[in-house]
Amino acid sequence: MSIKVNNLTKYYGNVLAVDDITFEVTKGEILGFLGPNGAGKSTTMKIITTYLPPTSGTIEVDGLDVEADSLAVRRKLGYLPELNPLYFDMYVEEYLDYVAALDGVPKTKIKKRREEMMKVCGLDSMRGKYIGELSKGYKQRVGLAQAMINDPEVLILDEPTSGLDPNQIIEIRNLIKKLGREKTVILSTHILSEVQATCNRVIIINKGKIVADGTPEELQKKSRGESLVTLEVKNNCDKNALSSSIRELRNVNKVEFVKDTGDSFIFNIYGEKGSDLREIISTKVNQQKALLLSMQAKHSSLEDIFRELTK
Amino acid sequence: MQNIKTIFLKELRSYFNSPIAYIVMIVYLIISGFLFVWIGFFQANVASLRDYFGNFFIQLVLFVIFIPAVTMRSFSEEKKQGTLELLLTKPITDLELIFGKYLSALALICITLSSTILYYIVIVFLGPIPFGPFFTSLIGFILMSAFFIGIGIFVSSLTENQIVAFIISVLIALFFFLIGKILMIFPPSIVSFFEYVTTDYHLNVISRGVIDSRVLLYYFSMIFLTLYLTKVSLESRKW
């Protein structure tokens, strides 16, 4: 089970939304589609799910062309569209049964599948309620249950965790990770920590083009961010003397005084790429008779890479 | 077929989950009941349903106001809520979706019209009344409804605003409905054209108790046309 996207291009009228992208996703991969708003993430998903046709290029889902074998492709898919559309005037169970029937789940199995999904997505307590009455987080769960109800081999999730609280986000991420072992998952997001937490592969897309493709760790290594240490010392020392003495250390490029918290000073210390400054800084702090409260080395995050690639 | 049934039942249920179905049915019952008694007993003083079915006011209310009110949200609401994208990425064809929605609106109108059977039964007790004209008049009403529902569904697929869908459907329905009533203002050379295009002539033919094949051809081709246009409208997302 794989998705092959070949030279996909999509124009809306004269506006270029997706510009000649090619990638392949295989079973067991959870692909995070990352990009600023309007980068072409949702458009690509709409084309994979057969809602829109490509302007040029092809997409194959398990060897089936999305245009020629549209219905067969749709049978293999579970799709959570952007903004999670739902019928607010339906009951939760009624809606899931309706979607299951449309998805071709055999009549005798609909109830069983619905019950499973309600359990997996934590909807048990929402029995007998109108979807319109549910909170945003529960609506999102109904959307996810809808996408998974036909036990699809491919899951396409457009911003699956939007509107959820932190606990729900973690639950949903774990659920996606669990599903990802047996299925092919593509999820879009602009939350970077989500990609780090959930995906084993990232594609960063900007202005319709793929600008990076790899595991989160690979992308981190590639970035050329400088090293950064955040230092906190007790405020009973001379901050200017400390700052200038650290500035003289090897590999240190810049020392920035961030703030005086009332009982401590906080500095940001920027160093050469790849250097670990913590040891020499702590020695220097001791020499200056300052009291070290905390120190933290920050590696360049996916966030830095994202900003670097999409600015 | 299974998919059409699934959509049909869901749509029919959602009509009855909202006030629309009840408003249409109750108001139709009140108006038609009043007219039935007023026209049938006090004015004509004969046991007949001819004037009832031929009544301008009842036709206007049913075809020009109620039907657009029933169909206005059919596709426009799906577009507005984004659920259309959900439906169109399910393994169902566009035609199955259109038929499911179309047939559910038609079923609602048929349920509403079935109240006239009661009037027929009442009159039968009062005096002999031929079944033929009553039956064909009812068929005529259903065919008219089927055509106007097609218009409503098509218009609803063009916009995501229900109110816009309602107003445009009313205007189109008015055109087909009214032109036939004011044929005398047209020059004789084009009268026969307008006569065939608009609905009034066909409804009159069928009300006389004759199911004419030309009339059936007219209605079925109009229904086909509106459903085909709806399909084109759904596909326009791909242009």
Side-chain angles (χ1 to χ4, degrees):
Chain A
M1 175 55 59
S2 68
I3 303 173
K4 281 183 197 159
V5 177
N6 291 314
N7 304 103
L8 178 71
T9 299
K10 176 73 185 174
Y11 279 92
Y12 289 119
N14 288 324
V15 182
L16 180 62
V18 177
D19 187 3
D20 193 31
I21 66 173
T22 298
F23 64 88
E24 192 178 338
V25 199
T26 52
K27 186 176 158 180
E29 273 190 308
I30 302 176
L31 172 68
F33 231 38
L34 204 58
N37 292 326
K41 298 174 301 224
S42 289
T43 303
T44 307
M45 293 186 147
K46 281 180 210 272
I47 300 171
I48 297 175
T49 54
T50 77
Y51 182 65
L52 294 176
T55 306
S56 68
T58 58
I59 298 180
E60 280 177 18
V61 177
D62 198 20
L64 297 166
D65 185 84
V66 289
E67 279 192 286
D69 299 305
S70 166
L71 286 181
V73 168
R74 290 185 220 172
R75 260 177 224 117
K76 293 176 185 291
L77 290 178
Y79 176 38
L80 174 67
E82 199 182 7
L83 306 177
N84 186 24
L86 294 166
Y87 296 102
F88 289 177
D89 59 347
M90 287 179 101
Y91 292 108
V92 175
E93 298 98 310
E94 185 190 11
Y95 173 68
L96 292 177
D97 290 355
Y98 176 54
V99 172
L102 290 181
D103 266 326
V105 175
K107 226 175 187 169
T108 48
K109 290 188 181 149
I110 286 180
K111 191 162 178 262
K112 189 171 154 265
R113 275 304 291 169
R114 179 241 290 166
E115 288 305 312
E116 271 173 39
M117 282 302 109
M118 290 188 67
K119 209 169 149 203
V120 168
C121 297
L123 285 165
D124 267 330
S125 53
M126 294 299 128
R127 240 166 251 283
K129 288 202 176 171
Y130 281 118
I131 292 175
E133 293 175 52
L134 305 186
S135 67
K136 203 172 173 207
Y138 277 108
K139 283 187 186 131
Q140 196 70 18
R141 291 170 188 226
V142 175
L144 278 165
Q146 170 276 126
M148 298 185 296
I149 199 149
N150 56 336
D151 196 14
E153 292 161 88
V154 177
L155 263 178
I156 310 281
L157 309 172
D158 205 344
E159 301 192 3
T161 57
S162 75
L164 301 181
D165 69 39
N167 292 332
Q168 295 168 333
I169 287 180
I170 288 168
E171 279 172 40
I172 296 296
R173 281 179 191 164
N174 288 339
L175 178 62
I176 293 172
K177 268 197 258 183
K178 205 172 102 197
L179 290 166
R181 281 180 222 134
E182 335 252 288
K183 299 180 193 301
T184 313
V185 182
I186 300 183
L187 65 89
S188 83
T189 179
H190 45 239
I191 306 164
L192 295 134
S193 57
E194 184 144 297
V195 171
Q196 263 161 330
T198 324
C199 305
N200 45 32
R201 185 166 155 213
V202 189
I203 285 181
I204 300 180
I205 181 168
N206 187 36
K207 292 178 189 150
K209 278 196 162 74
I210 292 179
V211 289
D213 184 350
T215 65
E217 295 75 25
E218 275 169 14
L219 292 186
Q220 239 160 31
K221 272 186 207 150
K222 270 189 211 160
S223 90
R224 50 186 170 78
E226 45 188 2
S227 76
L228 165 65
V229 174
T230 305
L231 172 73
E232 186 177 9
V233 293
K234 190 94 181 148
N235 66 351
N236 55 6
C237 65
D238 178 355
K239 69 171 193 255
N240 292 328
L242 181 65
S243 140
S244 54
S245 66
I246 293 175
R247 176 70 191 82
E248 281 154 18
L249 291 169
R250 213 157 62 87
N251 284 340
V252 172
N253 291 339
K254 197 172 101 185
V255 179
E256 189 181 82
F257 177 68
V258 181
K259 63 176 175 185
D260 182 347
T261 64
D263 56 2
S264 68
F265 295 134
I266 297 175
F267 298 92
N268 272 342
I269 299 151
Y270 297 90
E272 287 297 315
K273 182 185 171 190
S275 61
D276 191 346
L277 302 171
R278 285 176 297 183
E279 206 177 320
I280 52 172
I281 293 173
S282 80
T283 318
K284 184 55 81 183
V285 169
N286 278 334
Q287 281 171 13
Q288 292 286 319
K289 303 272 187 294
L291 190 59
L292 178 64
L293 293 178
S294 81
M295 186 157 59
Q296 218 168 16
K298 190 175 155 261
H299 296 291
S300 80
S301 63
L302 215 49
E303 219 156 312
D304 303 323
I305 305 162
F306 179 79
R307 250 187 258 120
E308 201 176 294
L309 290 170
T310 59
K311 69 188 163 201
Chain B
M1 253 343 249
Q2 189 56 47
N3 289 333
I4 296 179
K5 193 178 145 200
T6 305
I7 294 159
F8 171 82
L9 289 175
K10 185 260 167 190
E11 291 291 318
L12 200 58
R13 221 177 297 132
S14 79
Y15 279 129
F16 285 97
N17 280 343
S18 73
I20 294 178
Y22 301 102
I23 293 174
V24 166
M25 289 171 74
I26 291 169
V27 175
Y28 182 79
L29 279 179
I30 292 172
I31 294 175
S32 69
F34 174 76
L35 286 173
F36 170 69
V37 173
W38 184 256
I39 299 168
F41 295 110
F42 295 104
Q43 287 192 324
N45 208 19
V46 281
S48 162
L49 275 172
R50 181 134 177 206
D51 292 324
Y52 168 76
F53 279 117
N55 185 270
F56 174 78
F57 185 63
I58 207 156
Q59 288 181 4
L60 185 77
V61 168
L62 178 66
F63 300 129
V64 180
I65 296 171
F66 283 174
I67 289 180
V70 165
T71 57
M72 65 181 181
R73 49 177 287 168
S74 152
F75 278 102
S76 57
E77 189 68 6
E78 306 263 14
K79 284 185 129 175
K80 192 175 169 194
Q81 301 294 342
T83 42
L84 192 61
E85 181 171 347
L86 197 81
L87 291 174
L88 295 176
T89 53
K90 293 291 170 201
I92 56 169
T93 62
D94 292 5
L95 273 181
E96 285 172 331
L97 178 62
I98 295 168
F99 274 121
K101 282 182 172 285
Y102 177 80
L103 293 175
S104 70
L106 188 58
L108 178 67
I109 295 298
C110 286
I111 295 169
T112 309
L113 285 177
S114 64
S115 60
T116 52
I117 295 171
L118 194 73
Y119 302 148
Y120 177 77
I121 294 168
V122 169
I123 294 185
V124 165
F125 278 111
L126 297 172
I129 169 175
F131 181 70
F134 164 75
F135 180 70
T136 56
S137 294
L138 189 57
I139 296 289
F141 256 48
I142 290 172
L143 286 171
M144 277 281 276
S145 306
F147 170 33
F148 282 42
I149 288 168
I151 294 174
I153 298 246
F154 165 59
V155 171
S156 155
S157 74
L158 297 174
T159 169
E160 49 181 65
N161 185 325
Q162 294 185 32
I163 305 302
V164 171
F166 177 74
I167 292 170
I168 295 177
S169 313
V170 166
L171 292 178
I172 297 178
L174 261 185
F175 169 80
F176 281 102
F177 180 71
L178 277 189
I179 297 290
K181 307 264 183 205
I182 50 167
L183 277 178
M184 50 293 222
I185 66 165
F186 295 106
S189 51
I190 57 166
V191 162
S192 63
F193 168 75
F194 274 111
E195 198 175 62
Y196 192 76
V197 167
T198 58
T199 53
D200 202 49
Y201 164 76
H202 300 92
L203 190 62
N204 284 337
V205 169
I206 211 165
S207 305
R208 265 181 253 132
V210 192
I211 296 184
D212 189 328
S213 59
R214 279 194 311 162
V215 171
L216 290 182
L217 183 70
Y218 169 79
Y219 281 115
F220 283 116
S221 43
M222 286 310 215
I223 292 165
F224 175 80
L225 180 70
T226 54
L227 295 185
Y228 177 74
L229 288 174
T230 311
K231 183 167 158 43
V232 172
S233 157
L234 285 189
E235 276 165 3
S236 69
R237 72 182 188 276
K238 299 187 169 179
W239 295 347

